Amino acid sequence: MAKVKGLRCRECGRDYPLEPIHVCEFCFGPLEVVYDYDQIKSNVSRDKIQKGPPSLWRYLDLLPVDEPSVGLSAGFTPLKRAERLGEALGLRNLYIKDDSVNHPTLSFKDRVVSVALSKAKEFGFDTGACASTGNLANSVASHCAQAGMNCFVFIPANLETQKIIGSLVFEPTVVAVEGTYDDVNRLCSEIASDQGWAFVNINIRPFYAEGSKTLAFEVVEQLGWKAPDAVVVPAASGSLYTKIWKGLKEMKEVGLINEVKTRMYGAQAEGCSPIATAWAEGRDFIKPVRPDTIAKSIAIGNPADGIYALQTAKESGGGWETATDGEIIEAMKLLAETEGIFTETAGGTTVAVLKKLAERGQIDPDELVVVFITGNGYKTLEVLQDEVREPVRISATLKDFKDKVLAKV
Ligand SMILES: *Cc1c(COP(=O)(O)O)cnc(C)c1O
Ligand SMILES: [Zn+2]
């Protein structure tokens, strides 16, 4: 495949062939997909992309897949001008990239899974698997069902009910592990080297991670081929955040845009903020933490891409910030009330961090800002149980309606 050269170790730079492998044999660094940008540049154009399918596969020239076969409808989600949220935050040029309506399982994970499992099919795997904080399990289970693959998903046992049922309905084997996501991940790394399965975020991780770039590609295209001044991105492992940056730089590299001056801001929940804490303390390494937050989808205490996420913040002139559980819930409600978008706790984290950056003047009122909403609020209903008003209960009479409803509004 001419567009992809192979895999390369991020640490020591050793080259590897295009295989389902993810760590360097010499230094244990993570492997990353390397492209032939000259070849891509001669083949890609705005026009060609615009004539492509209304899905993330319109950017196939910049993805490590030959023939997409799984997740053909993922991506190309709305980019919404957020006037009312912008007004509330004092930002005049704010946009929401809304992956809460991604297809088919309502989170950004449908992007990474489409790419990972299409690649896994090309490699000849018949079983898909993952270590998940919830959304990934939903997406892997759905995509294995549509692809007719066997499926095993591993989750921490204390996940939200909606996310557990949202996996079970596709009939995979759901393994609920007593422990944190980091315990699940450690176990899955052992299982991955033991079984011949496509663990999308372990042995297929270099390919999985590339799917996140499509969020950057879409935003740039939807803005009329322009990179934003600043973006706010939620982070668990830090993969999404670093790959949005990679995607922006690639668009410049292959000549689709002339300039990238985007400041990358990362958002974490205060109860699980190993990357943001390292940033605040000026460290270039991560100290793992034990997660304690309602934002379970981004609760990774030992983030695989943490150090690269710190480098990205430095390189782009951005930074990292946190939100408390209370601020997360307030921000979920603010987004719902102003824009009619119901996001989960991860989206609440992102909006809460955006609010802090705006209040502190780290984002200028006229700058072009994009905030990434990566998950859907129907999957974390339980956190709002005591945070929303009760329905007004009445008998089916006009009198009750007038006395108990109209009289009180
Ligand atoms: C997985 C996830 C993220 C970020 O994941 P990374 O591991 O940092 O790539 C963000 N938001 C939601 C809703 C997620 O499920
Ligand atoms: Zn290496």
Side-chain angles (χ1 to χ4, degrees):
M1 187 166 52
K3 65 183 174 184
V4 179
K5 288 181 172 166
L7 299 175
R8 184 172 294 154
C9 174
R10 279 197 80 148
E11 290 300 323
C12 73
R14 269 200 176 76
D15 286 316
Y16 289 85
L18 213 58
E19 284 171 7
I21 48 175
H22 69 296
V23 278
C24 176
E25 288 171 16
F26 293 88
C27 76
F28 301 107
L31 304 184
E32 186 172 37
V33 177
V34 180
Y35 296 87
D36 181 343
Y37 291 120
D38 291 332
Q39 135 79 23
I40 294 171
K41 190 170 185 171
S42 67
N43 193 32
V44 80
S45 70
R46 292 180 180 181
D47 194 47
K48 182 177 173 192
I49 290 168
Q50 279 160 346
K51 287 188 179 127
S55 71
L56 60 83
W57 296 111
R58 66 209 272 113
Y59 310 105
L60 180 60
D61 285 331
L62 287 151
L63 294 171
V65 171
D66 289 321
E67 194 55 51
S69 58
V70 186
L72 298 183
S73 56
F76 220 57
T77 54
L79 180 76
K80 183 180 191 284
R81 179 89 198 248
E83 279 180 23
R84 280 172 47 78
L85 178 63
E87 203 174 307
L89 302 181
L91 298 171
R92 288 188 275 271
N93 221 349
L94 176 65
Y95 290 81
I96 293 167
K97 180 60 173 169
D98 188 7
D99 261 14
S100 76
V101 294
N102 204 2
H103 194 266
T105 64
L106 309 176
S107 89
F108 111 84
K109 294 296 197 305
D110 291 327
R111 298 174 183 277
V112 282
V113 171
S114 304
V115 174
L117 288 182
S118 286
K119 195 67 204 175
K121 279 247 168 190
E122 289 179 6
F123 284 135
F125 286 98
D126 64 6
T127 302
C130 67
S132 173
T133 55
N135 283 317
L136 183 59
N138 295 169
S139 188
V140 168
S142 163
H143 285 92
C144 283
Q146 60 173 270
M149 297 173 81
N150 306 319
C151 185
F152 292 80
V153 301
F154 297 76
I155 53 172
N158 74 346
L159 275 194
E160 301 94 341
T161 314
Q162 294 91 351
K163 285 201 181 126
I164 297 175
I165 294 173
S167 288
L168 288 168
V169 70
F170 302 110
E171 286 274 300
T173 300
V174 176
V175 185
V177 179
E178 288 160 18
T180 64
Y181 170 83
D182 301 283
D183 298 321
V184 176
N185 190 41
R186 207 172 337 101
L187 170 64
C188 286
S189 298
E190 288 177 45
I191 298 171
S193 55
D194 206 48
Q195 306 285 336
W197 297 346
F199 265 92
V200 297
N201 58 339
I202 300 177
N203 52 326
I204 310 296
R205 189 172 181 87
F207 307 95
Y208 158 99
E210 293 295 296
S212 292
K213 295 187 310 189
T214 60
L215 267 170
F217 300 157
E218 289 177 20
V219 161
V220 166
E221 183 183 349
Q222 288 168 318
L223 287 171
W225 303 101
K226 198 156 104 184
D229 297 319
V231 297
V232 187
V233 184
S237 71
S239 173
L240 168 65
Y241 172 89
T242 55
K243 295 303 170 183
I244 286 177
W245 180 237
K246 183 181 184 188
L248 290 172
K249 289 193 296 183
E250 282 183 349
M251 291 194 98
K252 183 171 173 212
E253 181 86 39
V254 302
L256 288 167
I257 50 175
N258 295 324
E259 193 174 74
V260 176
K261 286 188 181 163
T262 309
R263 301 197 308 287
M264 299 286 306
Y265 291 102
Q268 293 203 292
E270 195 178 277
C272 184
S273 54
I275 307 174
T277 304
W279 179 257
E281 293 175 358
R283 278 188 270 119
D284 60 2
F285 62 95
I286 301 290
K287 286 186 194 160
V289 301
R290 199 179 168 82
D292 179 16
T293 170
I294 57 168
K296 292 179 180 171
S297 59
I298 49 170
I300 295 186
N302 189 11
D305 292 288
I307 55 169
Y308 307 115
L310 292 169
Q311 289 167 11
T312 295
K314 208 176 241 178
E315 194 184 324
S316 70
W320 284 82
E321 191 49 71
T322 62
T324 64
D325 285 357
E327 290 166 339
I328 291 168
I329 287 172
E330 279 312 304
M332 287 166 72
K333 291 167 73 177
L334 176 67
L335 181 67
E337 287 161 26
T338 54
E339 297 295 338
I341 292 173
F342 187 14
T343 187
E344 63 149 90
T345 46
T349 308
T350 317
V351 172
V353 163
L354 171 71
K355 183 165 183 270
K356 285 189 187 176
L357 295 170
E359 280 167 2
R360 284 199 211 122
Q362 282 174 268
I363 294 176
D364 200 68
D366 286 313
E367 284 189 309
L368 177 50
V369 186
V370 176
V371 60
F372 287 90
I373 297 301
T374 49
N376 192 297
Y378 292 104
K379 294 197 198 186
T380 60
L381 287 174
E382 48 209 52
V383 306
L384 294 180
Q385 197 73 57
D386 302 318
E387 305 290 340
V388 287
R389 284 197 295 175
E390 296 275 320
V392 186
R393 208 179 171 96
I394 62 169
S395 64
T397 61
L398 195 55
K399 180 172 184 324
D400 241 21
F401 170 65
K402 286 187 173 161
D403 290 353
K404 295 185 177 166
V405 182
L406 282 190
K408 306 235 160 92
V409 289

